[in-house]
Amino acid sequence: MTIAVLTGIFILLLFLRVPIAFCIGLSALAAMLVSLPLDPSAITIAQRVGTSTTSFTLLAIPFFVLAGRLLATGGVARRLIDFAVVTVGFLPGGLAVTNVLANMLFGAVSGSAAAAASGIGGFMIPAMEKQKYPKDFAAALTVTSATTGLLIPPSNVFIVYAMVAGGVSVGALFVAGYLPGILLGLSLMAIAVFITQKNDFGARTTAPTLGQFVKGLLGILPSVLMLIIVMGGIVTGFFTATEASAIAVVYSFVLSVFYYREVKWRDLPGILVETASTTGMVFLLIGTSIAMAWIFAYANVPALIDTFIRGVSHNPIVILLIINLILLAVGTFMDMTPAILIFTPIFLPIAQDLAPALGTTPELMKYQFGVIIVFNLCIGLCTPPVGTVLFIGCGIAKISITQIIRPLIPLFVAAVVALLLVTYVPWLSTWLPRDVFQMIK
């Protein structure tokens, strides 16, 4: 009865277009009222929401958000695009491949898919349109490639996962996302090249001279240096992820205001307000999602789902496929943060039980599953009805959702193939943190 009420209220509120955080919080409260009176139910939910955000690790989120805002406003996107053009623009696929690489680079320094879609898309979609690429294809490619920044660190969603998974090193988790993120980017490049060559879209630029390449490299070097400092410090243990996020803010501030000089002092209040708004939304989602996860545990939902999945099959390949299908479905209507907080406690124990059959260990599976769940939900950001990155891309290109669906399909296929490789080849997620940095015992 508890879960029926929770699910029914949640779907009703979602259908009424109530903001997702309130959908989660109100449906959790309604589920509590099945068993308890109003006062203890409200107090319990409030306690869960209030105490869930009192984590030192979560302090990294507002700092990384602020650093990303500064970089998005400070001309970094344009310099990354210039570097991508001279690096891969002369290859088959031309600006299509450039678009993917620019999104990968920007995501690596900003950690935000939305910022990448708006920052890179604002330049690349009009540029691709001028070179006779269809506008819907340009938007679809921007939307899907923008999500690579959530796998390539630093990534706020990995911080959220580390908090709920327990006993997970944020630094090792960051490193675990490198190869899957690069794999996703290369998969999108491959399908983009195929589509452009088949349909004769766009044109290739001439090969760059050494001087042009050096100029492009020098343009992005300060941004890449920030990434090296942040990730290097985390990986070596010189500072924590939270301390690294504060360093990223200072560095991005100096870079945008004093070095590039594209962020003016008058712009700072607006950037801070945007950061506060985004942070408030994320932390409200975290609080209400923790409350809903507690309801699930109270109603013994993890055990019920475990029994259901194992009743379907005992084959680890089939079980992981079922988990992926569920997460892909969840990503179509739920934001990444609540989905990670709610479904990690449900599916992580199942995945850890399957670890030996996949040739890995339960401890390493924590890192692999973190990449799997984030990868699934990245795809969800590009799907209606609540794909935030999808709406950003459509808004920039000035096209409707129905127009972008067709060119999205082959890109989805490429992303799903990459997801399956990450799911069934543990090495892709565990080699770097285990064998290179020796961060997992």
Side-chain angles (χ1 to χ4, degrees), residues 21 24 43 92 131 170 184 218 231 247 254 316 355 359 370 428 437:
I24 295 170
I43 291 171
Q131 285 203 9
V170 174
L184 175 58
L218 292 176
M231 288 304 302
I247 293 170
V254 173
L428 288 169
F437 295 98

Side-chain angles (χ1 to χ4, degrees), residues 343-357:
F343 290 97
T344 295
I346 295 174
F347 292 129
L348 178 57
I350 300 174
Q352 286 184 287
D353 287 344
L354 302 175

